[in-house]
Amino acid sequence: MADEALSAGAVARRLGVAVTTLRTWHQRYGLGPSEHVPGHHRRYTPADLARLEIMRRLTGEGVAPAEAARWARQAPAVLPPDRLGLKARTSTVRDGGGTTIPVGRAGPVARGLARAAMRLDSVTIGRTIGDSLATDGVVATWEGLLRPVLAGIGERHAATAGLIEVEHLMSRCVSEALASVARAHPTVGPPRILLSCADEEQHSLPLEALAAALAEAGVSYRMLGARVPVAALVEAVNRTGPAAVVLWSHTRATAGPHQLSALLAVPRRPLLVLAAGPGWRADSLPAGVVRPVDLAEALSLAVAVRDSLDQSAAG
């Protein structure tokens, strides 16, 4: 190995990981560049690179990122990873050699679903989700099963820059299962709830979960889906006159408060505007906008709007 210091981009190419992964390893685990030249970005020395090679190898073999980082920080930089006796530390490898997905305190069903996801076993994934939906309903399945596994896949991807194929397969299976709930519970009457992702927001699964929960509860809705421009959302509200609008944002980058302000200014203003998702900051919401804390609260608010309208119509 040459003795020159390397930029983050050069290290990322050598390791086969994303620059964002290097940044995560630096911020969370202290595995960052150590050479500092005044007026320039810090650069990675050969010793830094050796530690990162250990980190990449261990996380790829299923060792938890925090533990892998501890070994990487302690390892002598002069020794290659194979000579550190670490390859045997693969107790987290399961079912076909894939790394496990962390699911926190979720139960054995979630762990089984995570293992099926790592095997890309769409049949088992679909059956597991379907059984849970039939037994526990949408809200409990989302909170206790699907969200922990999806979050675990995201966490593992952030640490390793891998599992993209797992995320895509799992997302498709979840989407199909939630859609089947909506098909099994057709609603009557005009849709009263409009569901939409914020402009440029592509993470639509939580919104699909809300749609399935609404169908299960007998509340009619319209789903616009991902990446809805503000002008298109306003046009949809003006054309359909929903009683409530749910605008989902997963990240701060897509949570522009102006989108909510636009909804409040339409001629046919909804009775309720919900800013759903972790992207929204409570202190930046326009007056009159409600931020539900979870799927259950969003469902409860939507049902309350439906019941209020039904009582008004009956009176």
Side-chain angles (χ1 to χ4, degrees), residues 56-67:
R56 179 189 59 78
R57 175 171 296 187
L58 292 179
T59 54
E61 292 176 349
V63 178
E67 184 180 6

Side-chain angles (χ1 to χ4, degrees), residues 94-156:
R94 299 286 190 274
D95 296 332
T99 58
T100 59
I101 296 169
V103 295
R105 296 183 178 180
V109 177
R111 292 194 292 272
L113 180 61
R115 290 194 293 270
M118 287 303 305
R119 297 194 303 268
L120 301 180
D121 183 353
S122 58
V123 174
T124 299
I125 292 172
R127 183 172 61 247
T128 302
I129 298 173
D131 290 347
S132 180
L133 289 169
T135 302
D136 302 322
V138 174
V139 173
T141 296
W142 177 259
E143 296 294 348
L145 178 64
L146 298 179
R147 193 169 73 167
V149 174
L150 291 167
I153 294 172
E155 177 183 330
R156 189 65 81 207

Side-chain angles (χ1 to χ4, degrees), residues 33 35-43:
E35 179 175 292
H36 177 58
V37 177
H40 297 275
H41 291 293
R42 290 184 177 271
R43 299 176 75 83

Side-chain angles (χ1 to χ4, degrees), residues 256-271:
H258 66 283
Q259 300 171 86
L260 301 168
S261 298
L263 289 174
L264 297 174
V266 298
R268 302 180 67 179
R269 174 175 172 169
L271 296 176

Side-chain angles (χ1 to χ4, degrees), residues 204-280:
S204 63
L205 280 183
L207 204 63
E208 294 174 41
L210 177 56
L214 289 170
E216 192 176 57
V219 180
S220 57
Y221 66 90
R222 284 187 177 90
M223 163 76 88
L224 297 185
R227 301 183 66 179
V228 180
V230 179
L233 178 58
V234 168
E235 177 63 19
V237 171
N238 283 328
R239 289 172 61 186
T240 63
V245 175
V246 181
L247 190 59
W248 170 266
S249 172
H250 186 72
T251 65
R252 294 284 173 87
T254 62
H258 66 283
Q259 300 171 86
L260 301 168
S261 298
L263 289 174
L264 297 174
V266 298
R268 302 180 67 179
R269 174 175 172 169
L271 296 176
L272 183 65
V273 174
L274 300 180
W280 302 106

